[in-house]
Amino acid sequence: MAAPPAAYKDRHFLAVIGDEDSVTGLLLAGIGHVTPPPDAQKNFLVVDAKTETATIEQAFDRYTHDRKDIAILLINQHIAERIRHRVDTYTDAFPAVLEIPSKEHPYDPEKDSVLRRVRRLFGE
Amino acid sequence: MSGAGDREAVFPTRQSLGLMKNKLKGAETGHSLLKRKSEALTKRFREITRRIDEAKRKMGRVMQIAAFSLAEVTYAVGGDIGYQIQESAKAARFRVRTKQENVSGVFLPQFESYTTEGNNDFGLTGLGKGGQQVQRCRETYARAVETLVELASLQTAFVILDEVIKVVNRRVNAIEHVIIPRTENTIKYINSELDELDREEFYRLKKVKNNKQRDNAAAEQEELGKRRGSDKENEDDTGTPDVLGEREDNDVIF
């Protein structure tokens, strides 16, 4: 019933999809990681108003499906809102997807996919 | 439940009756165990959801403070440091490791954050000015990320528990509403068949006994009849002449 250890034992890193300020702050905390060349992959994506939704979706898929070393994916709530469908249909335990507030967009518990599930379970 | 229709395909014998009775007992034990497990998990689940709610609110506050300290940095450094930081990020200093926690047979992973010492990608950030603010901002964000990691493990536990509880409840319901009634039906069926067989057997024995009695009676009758007949014959045979009787003897002529 429990997930096999192989599913999470190599997961050490956190990944971020966020606006510039959030990414900068989290990188300052030291979560940034770039895999060694040749395929240098960053574990963070900076999203601004010009970033296309397809790029965000691609990054989301890469962090949730392709990379096996990410334990937690942090995503700004207003960005999650842009790919809400993807975030809501994602139900796997690993990596855990966490919606975080950004500077301009204060945290809204009503939009969070997990909190909405909590609400639904308790019939509110 | 369609009454007697829903039962297992077994032959109505005493052996399968015993098997079914064992099965019913097992199903009942399993049902009570699973029910208890489900209750324990649900209790845990509710606790986790409550903590998630709290942690999410706490995260909102912590991230606000962190964003503010980043604004301080931008102000002190006098320019945007985002680009510089993104370029100088090489290896993660802040990592997580996962360990397991066992809740009534369910392994819930937990993230634990740790920092690898000795590599610092941002040694030169804020060297000119604002170094103190950068340092403070790093600490604030490190605390914020710790909160996030805590929240992430709660959330993972939530997802896994949700799934496990669904599975356990499905099993409880399957045992309660399918397996137990079906086994009971099977037992009822076997019992009725065995009773039927018993009645048949009893009737057969009675019939056999009746037949035997009748035969015996007939044989006795016959025997009796025969004996009576032979008695009469015997009476006929007893006509030996009484030499000393009144009957006149024939004269003897020489």
Side-chain angles (χ1 to χ4, degrees), chain B residues 25-50:
Chain B
K25 205 184 276 175
E28 269 159 7
T29 317
H31 177 254
S32 80
L33 280 175
L34 276 177
K35 191 118 196 163
R36 257 183 280 167
K37 179 178 176 177
S38 156
E39 272 157 18
L41 289 178
T42 311
K43 180 168 170 283
R44 183 70 184 216
F45 187 69
R46 284 177 181 271
E47 188 193 315
I48 282 178
T49 46
R50 193 174 46 76

Side-chain angles (χ1 to χ4, degrees), chain B residues 206-233:
Chain B
K206 225 162 116 180
K207 194 89 181 160
V208 166
K209 200 177 157 205
N210 276 349
N211 278 355
K212 251 188 188 157
Q213 256 172 358
R214 205 188 53 211
D215 286 356
N216 275 350
E220 224 164 83
Q221 206 71 43
E222 211 173 306
E223 189 81 2
L224 211 68
K226 248 188 217 160
R227 201 176 298 150
R228 205 161 290 154
S230 60
D231 277 358
K232 222 172 256 167
E233 270 172 37

Side-chain angles (χ1 to χ4, degrees), chain B residues 189-201:
Chain B
Y189 162 75
I190 294 177
N191 270 337
S192 73
E193 286 294 299
L194 284 179
D195 280 355
E196 184 68 30
L197 280 180
D198 262 359
R199 271 195 296 277
E200 245 170 56
E201 182 71 11

Side-chain angles (χ1 to χ4, degrees), chain A residues 14-34 42-46 63 74, chain B residues 63 70 81-94 119-122 125 134 137-139 141-142 145:
Chain A
L14 293 92
V16 202
I17 301 176
D19 61 10
E20 188 168 358
D21 282 339
S22 309
V23 172
T24 306
L26 291 169
L27 288 185
L28 267 179
I31 67 164
H33 191 85
V34 182
K42 295 171 178 175
N43 67 344
F44 52 89
L45 176 76
V46 177
Y63 295 144
L74 304 171
Chain B
M63 290 304 283
L70 185 70
I81 58 166
Y83 184 72
Q84 186 197 348
I85 283 170
Q86 281 164 40
E87 283 311 306
S88 53
K90 286 284 169 292
R93 198 170 65 93
F94 196 103
N119 69 352
N120 188 354
D121 295 335
F122 311 114
T125 309
V134 171
C137 181
R138 280 178 54 180
E139 280 163 17
Y141 263 100
V145 175

Side-chain angles (χ1 to χ4, degrees), chain B residues 11-21 190 194:
Chain B
F11 288 113
T13 57
R14 285 196 190 281
Q15 191 190 9
S16 48
L17 180 67
L19 278 178
M20 282 300 135
K21 276 186 175 162
I190 294 177
L194 284 179

Side-chain angles (χ1 to χ4, degrees), chain A residues 2 8 12 21 25-28 30 32-34 46 72 91 93-94 96-99 107 112 114-115 117 122, chain B residues 46 53 56 59 70 86 89-96 98 100 107 109 122 138 141 145 148 152 155-156 159 162:
Chain A
Y8 55 80
H12 292 301
D21 282 339
L26 291 169
L27 288 185
L28 267 179
H33 191 85
V34 182
V46 177
I72 303 170
T91 49
F94 293 103
V97 174
L98 204 56
E99 292 177 28
Y107 187 66
D112 192 290
V114 170
L115 280 188
R117 270 172 78 181
F122 291 113
Chain B
R46 284 177 181 271
D53 217 41
K56 287 253 177 189
M59 174 190 77
L70 185 70
Q86 281 164 40
K90 286 284 169 292
R93 198 170 65 93
F94 196 103
R95 300 182 183 199
V96 290
T98 44
Q100 284 187 323
F107 288 100
F122 311 114
R138 280 178 54 180
Y141 263 100
V145 175
L148 293 181
Q155 194 178 306
T156 315
V159 172
D162 185 27

